[in-house]
Amino acid sequence: MSSVAPSGALTEPDPDCLSAGRALVEEFCQYGASTIIGVVGLDRRPLAGMALACLVLAPDRIRVLLSRPSNAQLLLGLTRDGRIALTVTEVPTHRSVQIKGGEAVLLAAQPDDLRAASRQLRAFRDRLIDADYGEAFSSCCCSFDPTDVVAVEFVPREAFTQTPGPQAGERLRRVS
Amino acid sequence: MTTLDQIRNCLEGVIPAFLATFDSDGTPNVSEISQVHYVDPGRVALSYQFFNKTRRNVLATRMASVIVIDPDTNAQFRLDLDYEETQTSGALFEAMRAKLAGIASHSRMEGVFRLLGSDLYRVSGIEVLPSQRIERVRPCNPLSAARRAAAELCASADMGTLLDRLLGALDRQLGITHSMVLMLDRGAGRLFTVASHGYPTTGIGSEVGVGQGVIGVAAAEGVPIRIGHLAADYSYSAAIRSAAGIVEDSGCPATAIPYPGLEAPLSQIALPLRPLGETTGVLFAESLERNRFGYDDEDALQLVAESLGMRILLAQNDGAEAEAPHVPGCAGSLRMRHYRFDSTVFIGDAYLIKGVAGAILWKLVSEHAATGRTEFTNRELRLDLSLRLPAQSDNLESRLLLLQRRLVERGGCIQIVRSGRGRFRLQVAGKLELEEI
C-alpha cells in the first residue's frame, strides 16, 4: 500500500506527487472504488460525472471509462476544453485522491476496457454491499451496458488528497 | 420537467453526492460531499465543512454541478447550482448540523464532519441521468395517514386523552411505534414529557434541556430536526446529562424521572409545536430502523404537530369535564415534603414532581390542609405570583396535565381532575401531613 500524505504548501507539480497519486488510483480501483470526474461544459459551467472504471496506462496516461448516455454533455464539453478532474474514493475508508490533468481525448472502448470495467465494478459492488447499501441497490448502481461504454484518456498533471478533512485538496507528497 | 420536490429522497444523505466546480482559470475540481439538503422547491444547501478548493472555487465562480442518487431506486440526477449565500446559524444550519451528525456517525467520520456553514444554492437545472432503477413500493402515503391521525384531534376530550389518542393513531396510521409529546417550560429552559407511546415506562415528567438532542434543538430553533442514524452528539444520554446537571446542583435528593426513549434509536424526528408562531412543545418520534423518516414524513408529521399545537392552545378554553379517577382510601396520614429551593415535592420518600408543577401541587395541598378546600381555578393559579408562571405563554394546561399524570402514576391517595371550564378538583383520600424544607 502506498504511504502518502498531503504537503503543506502548493508548489509546482512534481513527479513524486503524481506518482503517489497514480499509485493510489490503481490501488483503490483494484479493490473497488467510487470514480467521479469533473469537466467544463460547453456552456462554461462545471459538470460532474460518474465513471465506470479507471486505468493507469502509463505515467503520462490515465484512461477513464464512461457510460456515454449518462455523460453526453460532459463528453461534448471535453471536445472544447480537455481539462479534467478525476477523484477516486475507497468506499469503507473514505480515502480519496484527485488527479487533475488535460489534453483529454475521446476514444472507442476496447474489449480490455469492458473486462476492466466489469472487474472494477464487481469489486465496487461488493464494497457497497459490505457498507450496507443493500444488494439490489449496489447491483443496479454498478450495472452498465457494454455497448454504451466510451473511453477518455488524459495526461495527469497534479495529484491531491481528497480524503475528507481539513487537508482535502492539498497536494500529495510521498512519505519516506 | 423534473422538479426538486420529486427527487427529495436523493437528498437524505444516504448516498454521498458528487460535486464539480472549477476555479477562476477554468481548472475543474470534483469531490464527494456528504450532504445536499432540500431547502425549498427552488433551492438546496450544501454543507460547508472546510475551507478547501471546492469552497474557494464556489466563492470565485458561484457555480457548481452536483450528482445525487436515490438510495431506494438508484435514480440519478445532475443539478446545476448557482451559489447565493452562506448561513452559519439559525434553523437551516441547525437542521443540517443534526443531519450531518447522523451521517458522520454512519460513515464513522465523527470528529471530521463538522458543519461550519450552510451554503445555499439556487437550482437552475435538473438533468435525469439514465440508470438501472429499482421499483419502489411505499408502505403508506404519509400525507393521507397523517390526515387520518390528525382527525383524532377533532374529538371532544380532555388534553391528556387527546394526546394519547393521537400517539396511538400515529402508530396505527403511520406505523410509528415510539413517540412522545413534550411541553416547553420556557423559564427553566427545559421540556417535560406529558404523553408517550410504545415504551416500557411512560416517563411522564422526564425532562430534556432546550438545545439538547433532536428534541431540544427542534424547540430551540422552531424547526423540524431529523436524524437517520444514531448520532452520539444528539443522543439522549447527552441530552439527559445536561438536564441532570440542573438536578445535581439543587441540593435535594435524586429527582430525575427516567427518560423513556429507546436506548439506541437509529432514526429520530422532532417536530416543534408552534401555535401562533411561538414554540410551546415538541412532538417526537423514533425508530430502530435506519432512515425511517424522510422528507415526506417530516412534512406530514409537521402538519400533525401544527394541528396538535393549536388543539393544545384551544384546550385552555375547553370546558370538557373529565371523568373523576378512582382515589383509593389511605390508612394513616399522607406525608408530603416540599423543597422550597426548586419546588420539589415528595410523597412519603418517593419523588413526585418539581418546578412549577411542584409549586402548584404544594399550593393546592397547603390550602386543602388549612381549609379543606377542594375546588380550584386556573385563573387563581395564574394570579398567584408565588408560582412564578411566565406572564405570557404560561403553558398552565400542560403543567396541570403533567401534574395530573404524575399523580395518576405516583400520587395514590392524591389526585386532581378537571371539573369544568378553567376549573379542577383536588381529591385527597386521607389526612395530609406537610413538611416544608
Side-chain angles (χ1 to χ4, degrees), chain A residues 1 23 28-29 41 44 48 52 84 102 105 107-108 111 136 140 142 151 172 174:
Chain A
M1 184 183 288
F28 292 169
C29 288
R44 306 302 299 170
L52 301 170
I84 184 170
V105 290
L107 301 163
C140 282
C142 296
L172 286 175
R174 188 172 289 279

Side-chain angles (χ1 to χ4, degrees), chain B residues 138-175:
Chain B
R138 293 204 63 138
C140 74
N141 180 329
L143 193 57
S144 66
R147 178 180 169 175
R148 290 192 296 275
E152 300 282 341
L153 295 169
C154 300
S156 175
D158 67 276
M159 192 167 127
T161 307
L162 274 178
L163 294 178
D164 292 341
R165 274 191 194 170
L166 175 70
L167 297 184
L170 292 181
D171 190 342
R172 290 191 306 278
Q173 304 293 346
L174 285 123

Side-chain angles (χ1 to χ4, degrees), chain B residues 58-130:
Chain B
V58 164
L59 294 179
T61 68
R62 306 183 80 84
M63 291 185 292
S65 164
V66 68
I67 289 178
V68 294
I69 302 174
D70 189 312
D72 294 323
T73 67
N74 190 40
Q76 302 174 359
F77 305 91
R78 183 185 288 122
L79 278 51
D80 292 326
L81 306 180
D82 293 305
Y83 172 74
E84 290 188 334
E85 61 166 332
T86 298
Q87 294 182 3
T88 55
S89 62
L92 173 66
F93 179 80
E94 292 299 336
M96 288 184 70
R97 185 157 73 167
K99 197 191 268 186
L100 185 64
I103 294 169
S105 164
H106 182 57
S107 353
R108 297 176 185 168
M109 297 298 274
E110 299 104 324
V112 177
F113 288 178
R114 281 281 178 270
L115 192 67
L116 297 180
S118 302
D119 286 344
L120 259 77
Y121 292 82
R122 182 150 297 282
V123 179
S124 56
I126 300 176
E127 180 187 355
V128 183
L129 302 178

Side-chain angles (χ1 to χ4, degrees), chain A residues 52 66-67 109-110 114-115 117-118 143-150:
Chain A
L52 301 170
L66 305 165
S67 166
Q110 302 301 314
L114 302 182
R115 279 192 284 275
S118 295
S143 66
F144 73 104
D145 183 342
T147 62
D148 289 337
V149 179
V150 293

